[in-house]
Amino acid sequence: MAKSGRQGAGGFWRDFKDFILRGNVVDLAVAVVIGGAFTNIVNAFVAWLMAILLQPVLDQAGVSQLQDLPLGLGELVIAVVNFIIIAFVIFLIIKAIEKMQRKKAVEEEIVAEVQPDPALEAQANLTDSINRLITTLESQQSSPQ
């Protein structure tokens, strides 16, 4: 049975709404916005760093700014430095996250070692109770009445 165009469009918009409101899509949108802001910070840092480190070289070459290098080499140098800085910062962030995850795993292992398993405790208690019951029954059967 064919759906009418109106029902199909409603289903399309509902599917689109469900897609947009999914957690991972929202997380991705937030990451893109933060990445854009981070790019501005890195670009400013690279411009500052390049001005300090390369200014003597640029002065000797007779170039006032890195962007003025011939054949667009200045833009290439800026892009490469941006990439290296961004890659390095991401590397540091990932290392910090891994360190926190390892620390959390060690803490969880310590907690697991300190706290015995409730099921094993219950089983041990039941075994002790059964052994006491058996001992009591055996003593009652063996004692003269």
Side-chain angles (χ1 to χ4, degrees):
M1 184 174 221
K3 290 184 178 180
S4 70
R6 188 172 197 106
Q7 284 180 323
F12 172 80
W13 288 114
R14 186 175 348 104
D15 290 345
F16 179 70
K17 178 184 167 190
D18 291 343
F19 170 76
I20 291 297
L21 295 178
R22 253 194 270 168
N24 55 357
V25 173
V26 175
D27 292 342
L28 179 61
V30 169
V32 167
V33 171
I34 290 173
F38 183 68
T39 299
N40 291 336
I41 293 169
V42 170
N43 287 339
F45 178 73
V46 168
W48 173 79
L49 186 66
M50 297 301 255
I52 290 174
L53 295 179
L54 291 180
Q55 195 59 47
V57 175
L58 293 175
D59 288 341
Q60 286 180 350
V63 178
S64 62
Q65 292 189 1
L66 194 59
Q67 290 88 353
D68 296 337
L69 287 175
L71 302 173
L73 289 177
E75 296 295 326
L76 178 63
V77 169
I78 290 172
V80 168
V81 171
N82 279 348
F83 171 77
I84 291 171
I85 290 174
I86 290 171
F88 183 69
V89 169
I90 290 172
F91 170 76
L92 292 177
I93 290 170
I94 289 172
K95 292 297 267 184
I97 290 171
E98 288 174 348
K99 184 177 180 179
M100 288 187 303
Q101 288 174 340
R102 283 192 303 269
K103 183 178 178 182
K104 184 178 179 182
V106 168
E107 289 173 356
E108 288 175 354
E109 286 177 11
I110 290 171
V111 168
E113 290 174 5
V114 171
Q115 296 178 350
D117 186 9
L120 291 176
E121 278 188 16
Q123 183 178 4
N125 289 340
L126 285 173
T127 303
D128 290 343
S129 297
I130 291 171
N131 288 336
R132 284 193 310 271
L133 181 62
I134 290 172
T135 304
T136 304
L137 289 175
E138 286 175 348
S139 67
Q140 286 178 355
Q141 289 177 352
S142 63
S143 66
Q145 293 185 359

